[in-house]
Amino acid sequence: MKQKKIVAVSFFMAFFSIIVFLCSFFFEDRTMEKGVESALVNPKNKEKIYFVEFSKNGENLLLKKNENFWYCSGNGIFTFADEEKIEKFLSALTKIRTVYKVLDSERENFDMDSFQISNFRVSLFSSSGEVLGILYFGKTDSLTSRIIFSSKNGRIVFETEDDFSSFLNMTVDFWVKMEIFFGVKNPSNLNFSPDKLHLLYSLRHGKTKSLSELPVGAKQLKGFTVYGQFQDYHTIEIYEYESNGRSEYFYRQNVSSSKEEDRAFFELSGITYMTLCNLLNEQRK
C-alpha cells in the first residue's frame, strides 16, 4: 500500500513537471519577450508622404496630396479627403512605439508571401514616386490588443499596439471630407451672425457617389456660393430627384483654390436641404 502511494506521488510529480515544462515553453516568448523601440515608417519621411495607397483582395483606394488639399480616389470617385484623419493615421505610422518579433519566416515554417497577399497593404510614396514604406497588416489579438504586420521584402512578422487599425479602411465615405463648405474659411459675402455662420459650417453631407450614379432625370435647383477674401470661392449646385412621391437631394461642388477637379456628388438629407434654403433665403433679404 505504501509502495503504491509512493508510485502515485512520483507519477503526479512527474506529470506536474511535464505540465510546467510545457507551459514554460509555450509562454517563453511572452514572458521573456523584449520589444524594440521603433516606428513603422521613418518619422523623417512623414512630411514627404504625398500618396497613400490601400489595397486588399484586388481592391484599391488612393489618398493623394496636392498643395493645400488631400484627395480621395476610389470606385470612380475623386473628391476631397479629411486631412485631419489622414494626419492622425500618418502620425500613428511614424510615432516611436514598442515593436515585438512574432515570427521569423527563415527559421520557422511560415509562408510570408501568403501572409502579404492575403492581408491589408499600405503603400506610401513621395511626390516624385519614391517608395517611403510598404506595410502589410494582419489581425489584432483581442487579448493583447496588438496588431501583426510585416514590411515588404521583410522576413519577420512583428506585432505592436493597435492604435491605427480603424484607419485600415478602403471605403470612400470613411476618408471623404464631410463638411459641405470647407473651401473658404473667412467668407466675404455672408452677413450672417456668428451663430448662423457656425450653423452653415457645421452642415454635413450624406453618402458620396460617383457621377455615373447621379439619377437620370435629376433636375438642378439652385446654387450657393461662399466667397472668400481674395476672390476664392466654394460653390455647390443642388439637384432634386423625385421618385414615388418623395424627393431626394444631391449636390456637386467646385472649390476655386483646388488644383484638381472634383468628380463626385453628395447626398443631402431633407433637413440639411431645408436648412441651406433657409440660410440662402435669409442672405437674399
Side-chain angles (χ1 to χ4, degrees):
M1 193 70 179
K2 184 177 181 180
Q3 186 175 2
K4 287 184 178 181
K5 187 178 291 187
I6 294 174
V7 171
V9 171
S10 298
F11 177 79
F12 175 78
M13 293 298 294
F15 180 76
F16 180 76
S17 298
I18 292 173
I19 293 298
V20 171
F21 172 75
L22 290 176
C23 287
S24 65
F25 178 78
F26 181 77
F27 290 108
E28 179 181 5
D29 287 343
R30 292 293 185 191
T31 57
M32 300 299 290
E33 69 181 0
K34 291 184 178 180
V36 176
E37 297 301 305
S38 178
L40 278 64
V41 176
N42 190 335
K44 294 181 179 179
N45 289 334
K46 182 183 176 184
E47 300 305 319
K48 298 179 182 179
I49 298 173
Y50 271 68
F51 298 93
V52 181
E53 183 182 38
F54 300 108
S55 57
K56 185 178 181 180
N57 299 329
E59 296 184 8
N60 296 277
L61 183 138
L62 180 68
L63 302 176
K64 171 187 176 181
K65 185 179 181 181
N66 188 346
E67 294 190 0
N68 299 326
F69 297 103
W70 276 92
Y71 302 88
C72 175
S73 177
N75 296 325
I77 297 168
F78 185 90
T79 191
F80 297 88
D82 186 337
E83 64 273 3
E84 292 184 8
K85 189 173 288 185
I86 295 172
E87 170 64 24
K88 290 179 181 178
F89 177 52
L90 296 182
S91 294
L93 291 181
T94 55
K95 84 171 187 178
I96 302 300
R97 60 176 67 241
T98 305
V99 175
Y100 305 90
K101 184 173 76 171
V102 178
L103 290 168
D104 187 328
S105 62
E106 290 189 356
R107 298 182 180 179
E108 303 173 57
N109 185 22
F110 180 74
D111 188 346
M112 180 65 80
D113 290 337
S114 295
F115 172 82
Q116 295 184 346
I117 290 173
S118 62
N119 283 295
F120 201 103
R121 171 172 164 157
V122 178
S123 305
L124 309 166
F125 305 94
S126 69
S127 58
S128 64
E130 176 190 0
V131 178
L132 301 177
I134 296 179
L135 299 165
Y136 300 85
F137 295 95
K139 295 180 179 179
T140 299
D141 189 314
S142 60
L143 295 178
T144 63
S145 296
R146 296 176 186 169
I147 188 171
I148 61 173
F149 71 94
S150 72
S151 60
K152 185 174 177 62
N153 300 323
R155 61 180 177 81
I156 298 176
V157 175
F158 299 92
E159 67 177 7
T160 190
E161 170 197 5
D162 182 9
D163 56 356
F164 50 80
S165 65
S166 62
F167 296 106
L168 304 181
N169 192 316
M170 292 196 297
T171 305
V172 170
D173 280 312
F174 175 82
W175 291 103
V176 74
K177 203 168 185 65
M178 296 301 297
E179 297 88 349
I180 295 177
F181 290 102
F182 58 84
V184 173
K185 301 301 182 184
N186 299 302
S188 62
N189 65 318
L190 301 180
N191 297 317
F192 288 163
S193 67
D195 288 343
K196 290 290 177 66
L197 192 60
H198 175 75
L199 175 60
L200 179 68
Y201 281 119
S202 68
L203 294 177
R204 303 290 191 269
H205 62 75
K207 290 185 178 180
T208 308
K209 304 281 189 177
S210 67
L211 295 179
S212 63
E213 296 177 279
L214 185 66
V216 176
K219 59 181 180 180
Q220 184 173 338
L221 296 181
K222 59 187 70 178
F224 195 115
T225 300
V226 178
Y227 290 96
Q229 302 294 325
F230 304 100
Q231 297 184 336
D232 54 322
Y233 59 85
H234 187 158
T235 296
I236 68 170
E237 298 290 343
I238 301 175
Y239 296 80
E240 179 184 25
Y241 176 70
E242 294 183 1
S243 176
N244 298 322
R246 295 180 56 192
S247 292
E248 299 176 10
Y249 300 98
F250 315 92
Y251 75 90
R252 292 197 61 190
Q253 66 183 355
N254 180 21
V255 179
S256 64
S257 55
S258 171
K259 301 294 184 181
E260 305 277 358
E261 179 187 1
D262 191 86
R263 298 190 296 276
F265 73 93
F266 310 87
E267 292 182 351
L268 282 177
S269 70
I271 294 176
T272 302
Y273 170 71
M274 291 305 300
T275 301
L276 277 170
C277 288
N278 290 337
L279 288 171
L280 180 60
N281 291 333
E282 181 175 324
Q283 176 62 24
R284 287 174 174 171
K285 290 179 180 179

